[in-house]
Amino acid sequence: MLPSAVLFDMDGTLVDTEHLWWDATEEVAARIGYRLGPVDLPEVLGHAVEHTAAHLDRAAPDSPGAAELAARLNSSFTARVAAQVVPRPGALALLASLRDAAVPTALVSASPRQVVDLVLTHLGRDWFTITLAAEDTERTKPDPAPYLAAAARLGLDPARCVAVEDTPTGVASAAAAGCAVLAVPSSDAAIPAGPRITLLSSLTMADLPLLAGLTAGPAE
């Protein structure tokens, strides 16, 4: 039996934008006297702009404040996305197979709606039954709220849905919501193992039988 729906993260999962987010953060950080390094990965990748801005505000000696940093991060990232949106290998093929099988899909992103809509102009809006951006829930990843909201909007039990994610932050969000999780890492950040978490090295390895297996058996 196929999952009731497949809920996709965006940045780093469907489109190759995590490196653009890192580059934007690195640029903003450098301008306020802070150099990003491996220790910053957990505070940058997979997080909403406000979280990363708050991190830089705490870490940088010449911070203008979290609100200003968030505006700078959003501007820098948006410019990069506008210039370069590249689907991840296997992403469009998997979306096409789900559409052919009439499996509902959702885009569940921690990025602002402005960035989500920009990506959708390149990726295509018709792939998704619904889309959620950072503004659509009071709390964002790693809180389960975005995935719970997506399942609720679709009228489905999260336990019968598969979430596709690329970062520890996103995996934590989807797992806490009760979804089965297909994790396809986009960086070296370690994704913890879990009873309903399956790791793949590429979306090219994902297909309908694999997704069906992730929700097989009674829901937990």
Side-chain angles (χ1 to χ4, degrees):
M1 182 180 295
L2 290 171
S4 297
V6 180
L7 318 176
F8 289 93
D9 172 55
M10 186 179 76
D11 297 304
T13 299
L14 289 176
V15 289
D16 190 13
T17 51
E18 285 291 9
H19 74 285
L20 301 179
W21 175 235
W22 179 265
D23 290 347
T25 306
E26 189 172 49
E27 176 190 63
V28 171
R31 290 181 177 176
I32 55 173
Y34 184 70
R35 183 173 181 177
L36 286 188
V39 69
D40 301 295
L41 275 170
E43 307 298 336
V44 177
L45 297 185
H47 282 290
V49 62
E50 292 80 9
H51 180 99
T52 300
H55 170 66
L56 292 182
D57 183 48
R58 293 190 299 268
D62 300 318
S63 173
E68 174 61 23
L69 288 173
R72 294 181 187 182
L73 286 167
N74 191 41
S75 176
S76 181
F77 182 53
T78 301
R80 284 172 164 80
V81 171
Q84 183 183 358
V85 174
V86 179
R88 297 282 290 173
L92 295 181
L94 181 58
L95 286 168
S97 66
L98 290 167
R99 181 173 60 188
D100 292 344
V103 176
T105 57
L107 187 69
V108 185
S109 179
S111 285
R113 172 57 64 179
Q114 177 186 8
V115 175
V116 169
D117 287 344
L118 184 59
V119 169
L120 289 175
T121 62
H122 295 271
L123 188 66
R125 299 177 182 275
D126 294 340
W127 293 117
F128 306 103
T129 309
I130 61 168
T131 66
L132 280 83
E135 299 92 333
D136 294 321
T137 53
E138 290 186 6
R139 297 174 301 280
T140 189
K141 305 173 187 179
D143 193 275
Y147 282 103
L148 291 173
R153 288 194 186 185
L154 292 170
L156 299 172
D157 180 355
R160 305 309 306 174
C161 300
V162 172
V164 187
E165 275 283 356
D166 72 304
T167 66
T169 301
V171 169
S173 173
C179 301
V181 185
L182 177 61
V184 186
S186 64
S187 73
D188 294 332
I191 293 177
R196 302 191 75 203
I197 299 173
T198 300
L199 269 70
L200 288 183
S201 60
S202 172
L203 276 181
T204 59
M205 303 167 65
D207 56 18
L208 295 182
L210 183 142
L211 293 176
L214 299 185
T215 54
E220 297 179 358

